[in-house]
Amino acid sequence: MLVTGPAREPGAAGLRSFRCPLPGSTIGGHRTAGRREVPMTRAASPQGVPVQRRGSPDVDVLVVGAGPTGLTLACDLRRRGLAVRVVERLPQPEPKSRGKGVQPRTLEVFDDLGVVDRVLEAGWSRDLRVRWYVQRELLVDLRLPGRDPLPDTPHPNLVLIPQWRTEQVLRERLTELGGTVEEGRELVDLEQQEDGVLARVATSPAGVAETIRAAWVVGCDGGHSRVRDLLGLALEGDSRAERFLFGDVEVDGLEPADSGYVWFDGGEYLAASPFRGLRSWQVQASLPAGTLEPESLELLQRLFTERSGLSHVRLSSPTWLSTWHSNVRLVDRYRVGRVLVAGDAAHLHSPVGGQGMNTGVQDAYNLGWKLALVVRGRAPDRLLDTYEEERRPIAQAVLSGSDLGYRAVFGADPVTTFLREHVLTPALRVPAVQRAILGGVSELDLHHRGSSLAEEHGTPLTATRWSPGHDDERADAVDRLRFARGVHAGDRAPDGVVRDASTGRTGRLFDAFRGPHATLLLFDGDARTDDGYASLAGIADGVERLFGADVRPWVVVWGPQPPAELAGRRVLLDPDGETHRRYGATAEALYLIRPDGYVGLRAQPASEEVLVRYLRRVFDRAGADVPQPESASSTGSSR
């Protein structure tokens, strides 16, 4: 059971509140049998705000807060060519471990941003060990050797890494992309306009403020979000009465030193987690009810000794001490006009499962590509309404799951205590239980199937092929069944092993996805016909002509050699058809993969009409005004 520290984002707090009187946006949609196409709803126009036009904004996006969420968003926007400023209230980065677990889906985000290798090198993802005690008796010595990369999941393991190190990696990447963090800059006020936002930012509450005119503002400023307060957003949910003491300290005398430790005794809890290559550990302890003593090394040492019974173990050199209590809360809206919130500014989590920071990073990843398209005039601003439409239900689901885990881990009533000590703890020895727990917090199965951006088209019954054979591109009954069971619109697009036909190099689908573009996968299925190849080539040429660099098409061929009909196009070879089968595309089909790695559209058979209609609905333009993409390149390329 992963229990991380409170993954609070750095941010602004403590200034007077200013409410931006703008109405919230709502999302509408409907389902139809067989085919689903849901129109996006336009954002409400600002009302009750002085409308002024003062020329072009100083910056495309102002990001408030430089925790993992804000840094992820800034990196994503910078690589898309946007002018971004990041302001952070704190005068310098804080060396606090906080949210220390990076989940597999977040690792995929970091892969796309070009930092996953640094995170894996700095973190601990293999040969994890946790010694679990109940009433000082060792009940489980849990060993998690980790898994090798899977065909559909390149990063299947949790990585333990202190949050300050994750932030350091993202700051380095932001610098490489030409960005920077402006430290000691505190947001004071926001004034919304029809075509921008005036943000007053000061070096201190009493200092002289600079007014920044931004086209958009995103609050990533943590649980005490100043942006959230200025917008007047309601933070709905509950707070737990239990309080905890967290500390980053050196630990001497605790062996083995490469293992994590957990102690339970009724409602009392203690845990200690080491970090790879560091002397520092994160130590957590529940505080007895009514404790008024302020956080201190002495208090943490006393609780450690009392609960572990290890009087020889000494804690020293604290770099962070904090008391904390669990909140399970969610804002009522993610967007008000030209201002949005993400991460802990939008949702506060229990520490169980380590999902607060991960959910925030994925908020940023969902928002980044949409905001970039809007800022560059390539999509209408109603596209931003799908950010709340998609991310708020996921936050609700994650909050519900982590709160259930919190009650199971920290509940002090007799029934919960008995179940935890005599059922849950022994069950952790079972590999299937371990896989279920880690899989449940990996966030790989979260989806947007109900989104207005998720659209599906299946083969009509009248177009089904009923005779056997491989000389007909039409789907037969088995193909239809496989498509129905395959990857759906709104699902995370799985990885797959493929070979680039132009270079002969073996790579992965994720190599083709990497970069700021959407990716079109045109599966040829197991029927190999000249007409079929010509049709897919025509779709690839058409989408490049209409949408340029925004969409990068690849034809995925079931076989070891590229057909002559596809010369000059981007082609991926799937020699044994494994990737076709994983996607449910054993007959001709297309999958449009969004820039954030989720399936936006799928259709069987592949239809240029369906594809172009979908893309024009998203982009709200013909697309002929965008730059044309570079010539076909290897799957390892990125822009």
Side-chain angles (χ1 to χ4, degrees), residues 364-377:
Y365 195 51
N366 181 285
L367 178 59
W369 68 274
K370 299 172 181 178
L371 192 53
L373 286 174
V374 171
V375 168
R376 299 175 73 178

Side-chain angles (χ1 to χ4, degrees), residues 1 128-144 256 259-264 419-431 433-434 437:
M1 185 71 67
L128 300 177
R129 183 179 180 186
V130 180
R131 295 167 65 86
W132 193 292
Y133 295 81
V134 173
Q135 297 177 358
R136 298 185 181 177
E137 177 185 355
L138 178 63
L139 291 191
V140 177
D141 190 350
L142 184 62
R143 297 174 185 268
L144 302 172
S259 174
Y261 294 81
V262 178
W263 290 269
F264 278 104
L419 292 174
R420 180 175 58 240
E421 296 181 356
H422 299 284
V423 178
L424 174 61
T425 300
L428 293 176
R429 301 189 184 98
V430 181
V433 174
Q434 299 170 14
I437 292 174

Side-chain angles (χ1 to χ4, degrees), residues 208-329:
V208 176
E210 173 193 4
T211 297
I212 300 171
R213 189 172 190 276
W216 298 87
V217 173
V218 184
C220 306
D221 48 342
H224 299 285
S225 170
R226 176 64 173 159
V227 173
R228 187 180 64 226
D229 289 345
L230 289 172
L231 295 178
L233 300 180
L235 192 58
E236 302 165 345
D238 300 310
S239 297
R240 302 288 175 254
E242 300 86 3
R243 297 172 64 243
F244 298 84
L245 175 60
F246 284 79
D248 287 342
V249 297
E250 294 184 12
V251 179
D252 295 313
L254 187 57
E255 297 292 340
D258 61 350
S259 174
Y261 294 81
V262 178
W263 290 269
F264 278 104
D265 189 349
E268 295 181 342
Y269 161 78
L270 173 70
S273 302
F275 293 112
R276 178 181 178 181
L278 301 174
R279 291 182 56 82
S280 179
W281 294 54
Q282 185 186 93
V283 177
Q284 314 169 9
S286 59
L287 291 171
T291 300
L292 300 178
E293 186 176 348
E295 62 264 20
S296 66
L297 178 63
E298 292 73 24
L299 175 58
L300 190 60
Q301 177 72 69
R302 186 170 71 249
L303 294 172
F304 187 97
T305 302
E306 291 173 353
R307 295 176 186 179
S308 69
L310 303 176
S311 58
H312 66 284
V313 175
R314 308 309 302 168
L315 312 183
S316 63
S317 305
T319 58
W320 171 52
L321 292 168
S322 178
T323 54
W324 173 85
H325 67 273
S326 178
N327 285 288
V328 182
R329 295 181 179 273

Side-chain angles (χ1 to χ4, degrees), residues 492-528:
R492 162 191 169 269
D495 201 1
V497 178
V498 290
R499 190 165 74 246
D500 187 330
S502 66
T503 65
R505 290 199 299 264
T506 298
R508 308 182 71 102
L509 277 182
F510 278 13
D511 297 329
F513 298 169
R514 188 176 297 113
H517 56 274
T519 304
L520 176 63
L521 298 180
L522 295 162
F523 290 96
D524 74 335
D526 65 354
R528 301 169 179 87

Side-chain angles (χ1 to χ4, degrees), residues 586-605:
T586 52
E588 180 189 281
L590 69 77
Y591 278 77
L592 181 69
I593 314 303
R594 302 172 358 170
D596 60 357
Y598 284 87
V599 178
L601 167 72
R602 71 170 186 155
Q604 187 182 70

